[in-house]
Amino acid sequence: MTDDPNRNSPFRPSRRTALRLMGAGAGALMLPSAIGRSAALAAGADATGQLILAFSQEPTVFNPFMPHIEVDEGIHFAVFDTLFTFDPKGELYPVLVTEVPTVANGGISADGLSWKIKLKEGVTWHDGTPFTAEDVKFSLELPVDPDFRSWRTTGYNLMKDITVVSPTELTWTMTQPFAPMAAVLGSTWIVPKHAFDGVADRNSAPFNNAPIGTGPFVWKERMAGDHIRLEANPDYHGEGPFIKTLIVKYIPDLNVMYTQFKSGDVDVVGLQWITPDHYEEAKALPGKTVEIAGAGSFESFALNMMRPQFQELAVRQALYAAIDKQSIIDALYYGIPQVTETYMPQQSYYYNPDLPKHEFNLDAANKLLDDAGWAKGPDGIRAKDGVKLAFTNSTTAGNHLREQAQQFIQQTFKEIGVEMTISNLPPAVMWGEFWMQSQFDTCIVGMNTLLGADPDNSDYFMSANSAARGGAGQNTTCYQNPEVDALFKQGGETFVPEDRKPIYQKIQELIRHDLPLLPLYQYAVVKGRKENVTGPVPNVNNRIDTWNVNTWKM
């Protein structure tokens, strides 16, 4: 049981630790972590048992380079490997490479422009094809293919002259120094080049629905709307896997998911975990391990900035003032999450503690709208220049706490002359094109916008990274601010944490002022597993529970 979810957080780095995290440009050494890994490796052929992992949202995107959300990465971590990735301390450790490239070990030039990596030997794809540097080159070039629907281009668009030196060696040059590049690579799953050979349209490749990886588990079947079955990779190059069959079960109703955990039908509760209203009962369940874990995600009321209703800052400020978020946290979430004013976790070295504090004030909200000329009509709904202050709000159907929060917000909005219609969707629809292509008016959504332990989240807030505006990225609110864009560029070229900190704190200040999304709270989640399951470890530097699924045991 974790009494303080923020204790020993990787987001409290010393100067030495922070510099180590910035090894891509500062020359510090990022050491492999021993957390969750033993010296002896177990062959996947010896894996036993079946584990059922429950998610409340359905994974639907199996090509990790296509637009996707956190739940899809629950599958990506099981099927694919990255070159290296973050452990819970925020340190990078090697997965497909022999060592994480740094200036100190010669993998990165002192100016941060020249990179080289050495791959593990003897790694094979699930279909038996040898894994080579050609696969890595293909994977690094795929995101910037103009004909491919990529989920992001950040970092990849700065790479040039990617060269295969040998089957296990690769080099490239950066067009400019980019401090978050190591973090970008740490969240880049490598896909097989041969799976796309002869495929005219990579967006509809058979691979996208039957993925082949080098990871600890092999894709076996998907029953849409129910589950995905994965089997242990007998030839896995790393530790484990120790579980023969991994069933990722989709249970959209959070109450049902908890009931199945309580009854023993579910071994591990994943996204969206155990809801706080069940926490007191859950922690006393026999044979179960239940704990509160800190998280890098935050909940927000996201606005589509292309909608005419939200063009004026006064409207966004009024909506924010009309959300009684502390009451929502206390009444629905039993006080477990923390109020926040930003996307940055409060434990982060880059967190800005001086942002304006939200105040629930309906009088202030009404005055803001009155002063801006939004007048109430006969129906009590405000309008201006022919635009009614009315919109839909969407979230995941079956998430009963979010649905209750929606009803609460709907009532207070009505008191200021704002009409909010609730229109919820199944997760597979909600977080597909509806969200990624900004087809919504407003959403209640949980997001983790960071790159591991790195503060860069330009993919979510930089003007060019909006798919709905013709870019590639996750700026689904369609937010635009030239000053923020310039700061992201400056932050990406700055490598010393003490110099980066004011840049990213200023970005938080500007986004808090502009309110493209109305921040509600930072997650603290209730995680649960059977006592006989070992391996799941909270990691705020990765977005999903399965970051180390190869080490899970029963």
Side-chain angles (χ1 to χ4, degrees):
M1 172 61 202
T2 303
D3 296 320
D4 178 4
N6 301 325
R7 187 174 62 242
N8 300 326
S9 169
F11 286 120
R12 285 187 179 138
S14 63
R15 173 180 170 83
R16 183 176 180 181
T17 301
L19 285 171
R20 186 165 64 248
L21 297 180
M22 295 311 303
L29 179 61
M30 290 186 244
L31 298 174
S33 167
I35 293 177
R37 301 194 307 280
S38 62
L41 301 183
D46 297 329
T48 59
Q50 173 179 284
L51 184 144
I52 296 178
L53 167 64
F55 287 144
S56 66
Q57 299 169 6
E58 183 178 10
T60 59
V61 181
F62 309 115
N63 182 332
F65 288 101
M66 301 188 77
H68 66 268
I69 59 173
E70 288 92 331
V71 72
D72 300 306
E73 295 180 5
I75 302 298
H76 300 165
F77 271 114
V79 174
F80 303 104
D81 287 315
T82 54
L83 297 172
F84 38 83
T85 195
F86 284 100
D87 70 12
K89 290 184 176 179
E91 296 178 343
L92 288 166
Y93 64 89
V95 181
L96 284 172
V97 294
T98 57
E99 61 180 349
V100 177
T102 65
V103 174
N105 63 24
I108 307 171
S109 62
D111 60 8
L113 295 179
S114 297
W115 290 60
K116 62 181 178 181
I117 56 174
K118 173 75 173 177
L119 304 175
K120 279 185 178 181
E121 296 184 359
V123 178
T124 58
W125 294 100
H126 293 158
D127 62 3
T129 304
F131 162 74
T132 74
E134 291 287 353
D135 298 305
V136 179
K137 182 176 188 292
F138 174 81
S139 298
L140 298 178
E141 293 176 339
L142 184 59
V144 292
D145 178 345
D147 296 322
F148 180 70
R149 192 160 59 90
S150 174
W151 82 302
R152 72 178 181 203
T153 59
T154 302
Y156 308 110
N157 55 0
L158 302 177
M159 304 174 75
K160 69 173 185 177
D161 301 328
I162 302 175
T163 303
V164 172
V165 178
S166 76
T168 58
E169 294 178 275
L170 199 76
T171 64
W172 69 84
T173 302
M174 303 294 292
T175 59
Q176 66 186 53
F178 186 55
M181 195 62 212
V184 170
L185 296 174
S187 59
T188 300
W189 286 276
I190 305 302
V191 299
K193 178 179 182 294
H194 68 274
F196 295 87
D197 288 345
V199 175
D201 181 8
R202 292 170 175 174
N203 297 292
S204 58
F207 168 90
N208 298 342
N209 291 307
I212 301 166
T214 59
F217 290 91
V218 179
W219 177 274
K220 285 299 179 181
E221 69 170 2
R222 177 194 179 204
M223 291 191 64
D226 190 77
H227 74 270
I228 292 169
R229 181 167 68 90
L230 308 174
E231 296 288 341
N233 176 7
D235 301 314
Y236 188 53
H237 61 91
E239 181 184 2
F242 301 98
I243 295 164
K244 181 174 178 58
T245 303
L246 176 64
I247 303 292
V248 178
K249 189 169 178 58
Y250 164 50
I251 307 175
D253 189 303
L254 295 180
N255 285 322
V256 173
M257 186 162 73
Y258 171 69
T259 299
Q260 291 195 17
F261 172 67
K262 181 179 174 181
S263 67
D265 294 329
V266 164
D267 298 304
V268 179
V269 178
L271 191 85
Q272 294 268 337
W273 306 284
I274 298 171
T275 54
D277 53 328
H278 292 306
Y279 173 59
E280 286 301 319
E281 179 189 48
K283 68 180 182 180
L285 292 174
K288 306 291 195 295
T289 298
V290 174
E291 60 185 355
I292 296 176
S297 301
F298 71 103
E299 188 92 335
S300 73
F301 191 98
L303 310 174
N304 185 338
M305 298 288 281
M306 292 199 299
R307 298 291 190 260
Q309 302 95 311
F310 309 128
Q311 297 301 304
E312 286 190 68
L313 177 60
V315 171
R316 304 193 296 274
Q317 290 173 330
L319 294 176
Y320 196 33
I323 296 178
D324 188 357
K325 60 183 182 179
Q326 188 61 62
S327 291
I328 291 172
I329 290 171
D330 293 340
L332 301 182
Y333 295 93
Y334 292 77
I336 290 177
Q338 297 174 296
V339 170
T340 189
E341 300 295 339
T342 177
Y343 56 84
M344 190 73 71
Q346 296 177 36
Q347 299 78 30
S348 172
Y349 174 74
Y350 300 92
Y351 170 70
N352 186 339
D354 300 320
L355 300 175
K357 297 298 184 285
H358 169 269
E359 179 187 3
F360 172 59
N361 191 324
L362 293 179
D363 289 338
N366 273 310
K367 187 175 188 308
L368 281 164
L369 294 174
D370 288 340
D371 292 348
W374 288 85
K376 290 184 178 179
D379 57 358
I381 307 304
R382 294 179 182 269
K384 179 180 179 180
D385 299 331
V387 176
K388 291 189 70 172
L389 200 41
F391 51 83
T392 60
N393 180 260
S394 305
T395 196
T396 310
N399 187 324
H400 63 286
L401 295 182
R402 278 185 179 164
E403 289 172 341
Q404 291 176 54
Q406 283 178 310
Q407 294 166 14
F408 195 75
I409 293 169
Q410 183 185 51
Q411 292 172 5
T412 56
F413 279 0
K414 187 175 182 179
E415 293 185 46
I416 63 169
V418 173
E419 183 180 60
M420 185 183 95
T421 302
I422 296 172
S423 177
N424 294 337
L425 299 167
V429 178
M430 178 73 207
W431 308 121
E433 289 192 1
F434 182 76
W435 169 251
M436 297 302 298
Q437 296 293 325
S438 306
Q439 296 170 1
F440 60 90
D441 289 343
T442 67
C443 288
I444 294 182
V445 58
M447 293 189 289
N448 183 333
T449 64
L450 303 183
L451 280 168
D454 192 276
D456 183 83
N457 63 351
S458 55
D459 199 48
Y460 291 81
F461 294 109
M462 208 165 184
S463 300
N465 294 335
S466 167
R469 294 186 185 273
Q474 299 191 80
N475 181 0
T476 51
T477 63
C478 305
Y479 173 62
Q480 292 183 311
N481 184 323
E483 186 177 359
V484 169
D485 294 345
L487 286 167
F488 273 128
K489 185 175 186 299
Q490 181 184 356
E493 297 173 354
T494 305
F495 292 90
V496 178
E498 286 84 352
D499 295 338
R500 296 186 89 198
K501 187 173 185 176
I503 298 171
Y504 289 95
Q505 288 191 332
K506 181 63 175 178
I507 291 173
Q508 292 171 68
E509 177 187 326
L510 292 170
I511 292 176
R512 169 59 179 84
H513 173 270
D514 293 344
L515 293 174
L517 45 79
L518 314 179
L520 301 178
Y521 59 81
Q522 180 184 337
Y523 278 29
V525 300
V526 182
K527 299 196 174 187
R529 55 184 167 83
K530 289 182 179 178
E531 282 184 350
N532 69 324
V533 176
T534 61
V537 176
N539 185 348
V540 296
N541 303 301
N542 284 311
R543 302 203 303 173
I544 197 71
D545 309 80
T546 56
W547 71 274
N548 69 336
V549 70
N550 61 299
T551 69
W552 292 13
K553 300 178 183 178
M554 296 184 71

